[in-house]
Amino acid sequence: MIVITAPTSQIGSRVLDRVLASGEPVRVVVRDPARLSPAVLDRVEAVVGSHQDPAVVDEAFRDADAVFWLMPAAFDAPSAVDSYVESSRPGAEAIRAHGVGHVVGVSALGRGTSLADRAGLVTGSLAMDDLLAGVTHYRALANPGFMENTLRSIPAILGEGVISSAIAPDHALPMVATRDIADAAVSLLLDRSWSGFAEVPLLGPQDLSGTDMAAIVAEVLGRPVHYLQVDAANLEKGMLAVGASPAMAAAMADMATAKEHGLDEGVVRTPGNSTPTTFRQWCTEVLLPAVAAAAS
């Protein structure tokens, strides 16, 4: 039995589809079963509720062999530690209680760098990994920024012709597509011959700067797009404006600052940690239709 949390998320939905295709029995923890198709619901056991709820994870992890663990950031949380560690504690306790043998979690790059303890959301995510690694065999999918984050720029692309972040325009960093994160998770969930704790870095196929990204977006969309660096303090103000708690808004800014100073650059790129989806491919297959839909 493989249990999948966050099965309607971008990563979790692909994990669910691929694990179902393997023929292994699947149980999902889902807040709203109506967000899953009837065909999927017919093939899974569904435990309704949040995987932050002790009663829900106690039911879901009973007799489970492996768990896919994805804890989304809660932007109203009192701190990054609460958002990741305290939210994951009921799951960790249920994993221990039911002897779940293997857990694969979605996490972040940065462990072992001088910035790991002051990287906001990433610091919380790494602490979550430590919690889970203390109760079972655990693999942390260590990710840089997601290509999907570019989707947040669609209004600015259509309005001012801009994509933006807090990273300097010429600072090239790794970036990964969520489909590749899901595929790595599925490989680990289906082949449970591993043991202990390890990180699995997923770096995308190449490092790109904001200027590089804007040029690719412009070429794919056939419209002018340029890159704009925003100050981390303005990022924090923007998070507060959309309802984030002060601590979580500061954690977002701290993460951006840490990435600018090398948080995502502590792992040497190899063929083994370079994932296949290019940013151009992602823009063609995901961003282009999303922009077209938003413009219609």
Side-chain angles (χ1 to χ4, degrees), residues 138-228:
Y138 182 66
R139 288 294 179 269
L141 304 178
N143 300 296
F146 297 169
M147 294 181 188
E148 277 72 9
N149 292 343
T150 313
L151 294 170
R152 300 172 188 165
S153 294
I154 289 177
I157 290 171
L158 292 173
E160 300 84 34
V162 167
I163 62 172
S164 62
S165 81
I167 307 300
D170 60 350
H171 188 172
L173 290 174
M175 182 171 44
V176 66
T178 56
R179 68 179 71 170
D180 294 340
I181 301 170
D183 291 349
V186 171
S187 294
L188 290 163
L189 290 167
L190 296 181
D191 178 12
R192 300 184 291 276
S193 59
W194 44 273
S195 62
F197 167 60
E199 291 188 317
V200 180
L202 303 171
L203 303 185
Q206 65 181 135
D207 293 358
L208 292 172
S209 69
T211 300
D212 296 331
M213 293 170 59
I216 293 169
V217 170
E219 291 171 11
V220 171
L221 299 184
R223 61 193 302 151
V225 178
H226 68 277
Y227 178 77
L228 176 67

Side-chain angles (χ1 to χ4, degrees), residues 71-75 80 83-84 106-111 113-126 143-146 149 152 165-168 171 173 230-233 235-236 239 246-265:
M71 180 55 66
F75 289 111
S83 177
Y84 287 102
V106 177
S107 188
L109 292 170
R111 184 179 295 276
T113 70
S114 62
L115 299 155
D117 63 348
R118 47 195 170 98
L121 299 185
V122 169
T123 302
S125 186
L126 298 179
N143 300 296
F146 297 169
N149 292 343
R152 300 172 188 165
S165 81
I167 307 300
H171 188 172
L173 290 174
V230 297
D231 186 84
L235 175 63
E236 184 173 351
M239 293 299 298
M248 289 298 283
M252 280 289 291
D254 289 344
M255 178 176 69
T257 300
K259 286 178 180 287
E260 174 63 19
H261 288 89
L263 181 74
D264 289 350
E265 298 165 85

